[in-house]
Amino acid sequence: MSPSVPSRSARRRVAGTLCVLLAVGVVITGLVQAAPSATPRAIDPRIAAVMRKPDYRHAQWGLFQQDPRTGKVTESRYADQFFIPGSAAKLFSVSGTWHTLGGDHRFVTPVHAVGQRRNATLKGDLDLVAQGDLTLGGRTRKDGTVAFTTIDHTYANDVPGATLTPENPLAGIDQLARQVRQSGIRRVDGDVVVDARLFQPDPGLDPVPTPLIINDNVIDLLTTPGAEAGTPAGLEWRPKVAPYHVTSSVRTVAAGKPSDINVSSSPDGTRIQLSGTIAAGSAPVLRVSAIKDPNAFGRTALIEALQRAGVEVRTKAVGRNPVRQLPRSYQGAPTVARYTSPVYAQYAKLILKVSHNLGANLGICLMATSTGSTNCNDGFPVLAKFLEHAQVDRKAVQLADGRGGNPADRTTPRALAQILAYWQRTPEATRFRTSLPILGVDGTLADSCRSCPSRGKVFAKTGTAAGGDLLNDRLAVGAETTAGYLETRKGHFDVFFAGVNGAATPTADITGVLTIANDVADVAAYLQQQAAGGR
């Protein structure tokens, strides 16, 4: 479904939510006007034709392609100049987290019984000790893999077409509750407490990671059109946890008319209101609303799950998380339940395939905890040390978050190629490469080049940084980038970067950004085809 041109107020929201300051795009355009580095071969005329499009009149393109085995560079344009990377920066943060934790690392979230057991009664508290598990079972399939869709639900308020995975977002919590009952506890004469002392949430990381994460810390709101114009729209929402309550005044309008659904909430996030319109006969429209107190939410969710499992909890389900009751340690407090996550490589695949911002920022905090620190900023020295180990020129990378959304974030095309080349030298080469979006197949590249010769032969992380240009009633695209691997012949992969900074769309329609993304994907395909000896 193609979105209509948004109203001026809606464009102001786009400017605030798509994570770009237009001024940054203007500045970077000025920074990269140095002469391009020598190009080893003439640029493919198809690539040149893309670069000459009107959208790129004031923009700067960068290209880099290299055989990591021989070191031979076959494409180089502004390879050593800083670019806004957008989410291509996740290649650094995810790589650092993967290396620090290990691809086979599993998060084990325990529940401890703190107090005295008397037969089936616990005279004390149940403490859930959060471990930074990104999904806590909410996306885990029966085979242990992590589910994702082409456009993730975390993007639902910004990008049209976001959808949900079918898994129960409370699956991990329900499993913990069942295990508590299986341990023999039938009654808790105390409280339920979330222990979130693993690290301190850092507001400098946006979205802010928390030690306990359920459903990506959002409520899903799915609106379906009524039978005909003028009828109320249908509403489904999840996860249903007290005291969250959702109401909707969304009305169905005639088929073909624009769907425009807005979300508002009370200051504590527990009262959510949807308003606007949805076109008859259209696909359901997904929106999300933030869970503003993940620990209180998780506490209530576990109490309600315990009750569903047949465990009576004497305390009130709704309320603040009573952190003052937490013990200094859990020595002598038996573990009565534990949830074990899929391997980290599965989480990395989720983060890279859908460009999961929360998961990428979480990696910074998890690297910090590997040193015993609770300060997320202490993850950056860990990442720096890893980049040096990976033979990445650290001075060619600037990062202030894990997702590539901070105005300070910069990298050169060559530095991105260096981190990609590192993985090719490891036993994890295939697992890392296939964690990236695959052109025409899945992730953020699923809808690009679906029938071109390069389908399935480009593995790359994409990046977008865009916002509203209210002066010219259009969208400013500070960055549209892609970096990854090109299969030049069976089993052989070049590393590459293709991207543009400082582009602009013709109108305020967000599909203009998708057009630029397709152009960048086409450039990647042309690089692959040229390297493979075909046109």
Side-chain angles (χ1 to χ4, degrees), residues 236-258:
E236 297 178 22
W237 63 280
R238 69 176 203 183
K240 289 185 170 67
V241 174
Y244 283 75
H245 182 70
V246 183
T247 57
S248 174
S249 61
V250 177
R251 304 292 294 180
T252 308
V253 295
K257 287 194 173 182

Side-chain angles (χ1 to χ4, degrees), residues 255-275:
K257 287 194 173 182
S259 296
D260 185 12
I261 299 176
N262 300 303
V263 180
S264 60
S265 69
S266 59
D268 66 357
T270 63
R271 293 293 181 267
I272 302 168
Q273 171 70 40
L274 280 76
S275 61

Side-chain angles (χ1 to χ4, degrees), residues 40-126:
R41 66 187 179 197
I43 194 168
D44 187 309
R46 296 171 297 178
I47 296 176
V50 172
M51 293 179 176
R52 288 195 296 266
K53 287 186 176 182
D55 287 349
Y56 312 121
R57 180 181 177 186
H58 302 294
Q60 182 61 63
W61 280 86
L63 297 174
F64 190 77
Q65 183 178 348
Q66 183 180 35
D67 183 335
R69 293 182 181 176
T70 66
K72 181 181 178 181
V73 175
T74 52
E75 202 72 63
S76 183
R77 179 182 176 86
Y78 301 113
D80 297 302
Q81 300 296 313
F82 270 142
F83 280 76
I84 300 173
S87 285
K90 291 182 174 71
L91 289 169
F92 297 118
S93 60
V94 172
S95 293
T97 310
W98 189 321
H99 178 265
T100 301
L101 300 179
D104 291 323
H105 173 80
R106 295 179 187 270
F107 301 88
V108 180
T109 302
V111 174
H112 292 279
V114 181
Q116 299 296 318
R117 286 277 298 271
R118 294 183 181 177
N119 298 320
T121 298
L122 172 64
K123 298 285 187 178
D125 299 339
L126 288 175

Side-chain angles (χ1 to χ4, degrees), residues 4-21:
S4 60
V5 177
S7 66
R8 185 166 295 274
S9 61
R11 291 196 296 273
R12 288 185 185 277
R13 289 195 298 274
V14 170
T17 56
L18 288 185
C19 311
V20 145
L21 297 174

Side-chain angles (χ1 to χ4, degrees), residues 123-173:
K123 298 285 187 178
D125 299 339
L126 288 175
D127 290 3
L128 185 159
V129 185
Q131 299 293 312
D133 186 335
L134 180 58
T135 75
L136 200 61
R139 293 178 185 255
T140 305
R141 301 186 182 101
K142 291 182 179 180
D143 63 0
T145 59
V146 173
F148 59 89
T149 61
T150 298
I151 303 176
D152 193 63
H153 74 142
T154 54
Y155 284 98
N157 293 353
D158 304 326
V159 181
T163 54
L164 295 170
T165 62
E167 287 72 26
N168 175 13
L170 295 176
I173 295 293

Side-chain angles (χ1 to χ4, degrees), residues 135-473:
T135 75
L136 200 61
R139 293 178 185 255
T140 305
R141 301 186 182 101
K142 291 182 179 180
D143 63 0
T145 59
V146 173
F148 59 89
T149 61
T150 298
I151 303 176
D152 193 63
H153 74 142
T154 54
Y155 284 98
N157 293 353
D158 304 326
V159 181
T163 54
L164 295 170
T165 62
E167 287 72 26
N168 175 13
L170 295 176
I173 295 293
D174 286 340
Q175 183 173 323
L176 288 170
R178 290 193 296 269
Q179 288 183 28
V180 170
R181 191 179 194 284
Q182 290 165 6
S183 76
I185 295 175
R186 300 291 186 272
R187 175 172 168 150
V188 178
D189 282 348
D191 214 322
V192 172
V193 192
V194 171
D195 185 341
R197 293 178 291 188
L198 182 69
F199 60 81
Q200 296 298 316
D202 184 348
L205 298 173
D206 180 21
V208 179
T210 50
L212 180 68
I213 298 171
I214 298 174
N215 201 44
D216 299 312
N217 290 342
V218 298
I219 302 294
D220 296 316
L221 312 160
L222 190 66
T223 299
T224 54
E228 58 185 16
T231 60
L235 171 66
E236 297 178 22
W237 63 280
R238 69 176 203 183
K240 289 185 170 67
V241 174
Y244 283 75
H245 182 70
V246 183
T247 57
S248 174
S249 61
V250 177
R251 304 292 294 180
T252 308
V253 295
K257 287 194 173 182
S259 296
D260 185 12
I261 299 176
N262 300 303
V263 180
S264 60
S265 69
S266 59
D268 66 357
T270 63
R271 293 293 181 267
I272 302 168
Q273 171 70 40
L274 280 76
S275 61
T277 59
I278 186 170
S282 67
V285 175
L286 181 65
R287 293 288 185 266
V288 294
S289 185
I291 295 170
K292 297 186 178 180
D293 189 341
N295 296 332
F297 182 88
R299 172 185 174 273
T300 300
L302 181 53
I303 292 172
E304 292 179 342
L306 287 164
Q307 293 168 344
R308 290 194 296 271
V311 179
E312 180 186 358
V313 183
R314 298 288 306 272
T315 191
K316 291 182 179 179
V318 176
R320 291 185 177 182
N321 185 44
V323 293
R324 292 184 179 180
Q325 296 174 206
L326 292 172
R328 291 186 177 181
S329 78
Y330 290 100
Q331 186 174 359
T335 300
V336 293
R338 58 169 58 86
Y339 177 79
T340 302
S341 77
V343 296
Y344 178 75
Q346 278 293 312
Y347 285 171
K349 186 174 185 178
L350 166 67
I351 296 166
L352 295 170
K353 291 287 189 184
V354 308
S355 206
H356 196 282
N357 291 326
L358 181 62
N361 279 346
L362 176 64
I364 301 296
C365 300
L366 294 176
M367 283 186 277
T369 65
S370 72
T371 70
S373 173
T374 61
N375 184 338
C376 290
N377 280 338
D378 288 335
F380 288 104
V382 178
L383 178 56
K385 185 176 181 179
F386 161 70
L387 292 180
E388 291 175 349
H389 164 77
Q391 300 177 31
V392 174
D393 180 1
R394 183 152 61 96
K395 299 300 182 183
V397 183
Q398 295 179 179
L399 288 178
D401 64 4
R403 74 181 184 96
N406 191 287
D409 294 345
R410 300 286 188 277
T411 186
T412 67
R414 193 184 303 273
L416 283 165
Q418 288 168 344
I419 192 61
L420 293 160
Y422 160 77
W423 284 104
Q424 289 295 89
R425 302 190 296 269
T426 74
E428 296 274 49
T430 299
R431 186 152 66 158
F432 182 81
R433 184 181 68 253
T434 55
S435 295
L436 300 174
I438 303 173
L439 186 66
V441 177
D442 65 16
T444 54
L445 288 174
D447 295 327
S448 298
C449 211
R450 300 191 79 163
S451 59
C452 77
S454 297
R455 183 180 187 271
K457 298 176 182 178
V458 178
F459 305 75
K461 181 70 196 78
T462 60
T464 302
D469 175 6
L470 301 183
L471 178 67
N472 296 295
D473 198 25

